[in-house]
Amino acid sequence: MPRLITIAAIALAAFFPATLVARPLAGTDASQNAYVAMGSSFAAGPWVARDADTPPNRCARSAANYAHLLAARLKMPLVDVSCSGAKAVHILSPWTELPAQINAVTARTRLVTITAGGNDLNYIGSIAALNCGRMTPEQINQAFQGKGCPAVALPTAADEAALASTLRNAVSRIRAAAPRARIVLVQYFNLFSGAPNCAATGLVAKDLVTLQGIAGRLAMITASVAHETGAELLPLDRLSREHGVCSAAPWVNGNSADRAKGDGVFYHPNRAGMAAAADALAQLIAR
């Protein structure tokens, strides 16, 4: 059974091909360029290597998430405002004590990456809810703070439409604030494709079908918004398809994760996944 120590805090707190537009980054001097990374936990990378913030905070941003790895490779100063639990709306609006993520964008910004939408469609929350019935009472109490198993709240058509609208608005406002920036929408890692079901998913076949449906719609929304707005797309859903939970070389964790190993949290990217995403982004930027 999964040890869902912080899945409620990380995944349920509020908790994924368009034509690529190849615009060169304007210069490489650190005083003139800036990279702003936005999004949810799939961008932040909780439990991957060491925390990027001192002291650590609830966003659980990793110093080895794809944004930090890419920024080091491009020699660009990074402002990482991704946050575990964030919804797409938090790109444009404050989230309690956190300012809107877009506030980090300035006229000097040359690159913006966004991985957002999973929490809007309750993707990870649905995984936790579907898994809950197979957990022990102790695990349920620990994972859901004594509140018992949550109801499975699947996304509606209205939720999907709202997400698409929010992402379109975000791209528009980022472009207005930073006209020279390249904007890349990064899809979520594919968790469950690439191999037959295995114990590491913690799920039965019918649950996997449900979750793959949510993931597919999330990937489609992200790709559609990129196409509609002229933003660039990193098709990570496709690129990670052979690296799911049950694959021989997973880029994501299943229903177990050991924080001491620094390799990511449950149902989230691991170190290999973050490195692969950074590699793919570097190749996209180089075009």
Side-chain angles (χ1 to χ4, degrees), residues 222-243:
T222 306
S224 295
V225 170
H227 181 74
E228 292 166 12
T229 62
E232 298 177 71
L233 176 74
L234 184 70
L236 196 53
D237 177 75
R238 175 177 58 80
L239 295 176
S240 62
R241 197 157 290 169
E242 300 303 317
H243 298 278

Side-chain angles (χ1 to χ4, degrees), residues 145-168:
Q145 301 175 325
K147 297 178 182 178
C149 289
V152 179
L154 299 179
T156 65
D159 294 329
E160 295 173 11
L163 172 59
S165 177
T166 300
L167 288 175
R168 283 193 293 267

Side-chain angles (χ1 to χ4, degrees), residues 124-245:
I124 304 302
S126 295
I127 297 174
L130 289 167
N131 218 343
C132 191
R134 289 177 287 278
M135 296 164 62
T136 68
E138 293 77 15
Q139 289 169 334
I140 292 171
N141 183 64
Q142 186 179 54
F144 302 104
Q145 301 175 325
K147 297 178 182 178
C149 289
V152 179
L154 299 179
T156 65
D159 294 329
E160 295 173 11
L163 172 59
S165 177
T166 300
L167 288 175
R168 283 193 293 267
N169 192 20
V171 172
S172 177
R173 288 181 55 182
I174 292 166
R175 187 165 285 136
R180 299 172 67 191
R182 292 177 68 168
I183 303 170
V184 184
L185 300 185
V186 180
Q187 289 176 330
Y188 277 61
F189 288 85
N190 195 310
L191 293 175
F192 301 121
S193 292
N197 191 19
C198 64
T201 68
L203 299 161
V204 297
K206 67 181 182 62
D207 293 341
L208 281 178
V209 171
T210 297
L211 293 167
Q212 286 170 335
I214 298 174
R217 292 192 295 276
L218 179 55
M220 183 178 64
I221 290 168
T222 306
S224 295
V225 170
H227 181 74
E228 292 166 12
T229 62
E232 298 177 71
L233 176 74
L234 184 70
L236 196 53
D237 177 75
R238 175 177 58 80
L239 295 176
S240 62
R241 197 157 290 169
E242 300 303 317
H243 298 278
V245 168

Side-chain angles (χ1 to χ4, degrees), residues 74-169:
L74 298 179
K75 296 181 172 58
M76 294 182 72
L78 170 68
V79 180
D80 185 359
V81 290
S82 63
C83 191
S84 297
K87 294 184 176 181
V89 70
H90 298 128
I91 295 172
L92 303 174
S93 303
W95 184 20
T96 58
E97 84 283 7
L98 300 174
Q101 295 182 9
I102 196 172
N103 287 8
V105 176
T106 73
R108 284 185 165 182
T109 302
R110 294 295 179 265
L111 175 64
V112 178
T113 56
I114 303 171
T115 300
N119 297 319
D120 301 70
L121 301 189
N122 197 35
Y123 183 36
I124 304 302
S126 295
I127 297 174
L130 289 167
N131 218 343
C132 191
R134 289 177 287 278
M135 296 164 62
T136 68
E138 293 77 15
Q139 289 169 334
I140 292 171
N141 183 64
Q142 186 179 54
F144 302 104
Q145 301 175 325
K147 297 178 182 178
C149 289
V152 179
L154 299 179
T156 65
D159 294 329
E160 295 173 11
L163 172 59
S165 177
T166 300
L167 288 175
R168 283 193 293 267
N169 192 20

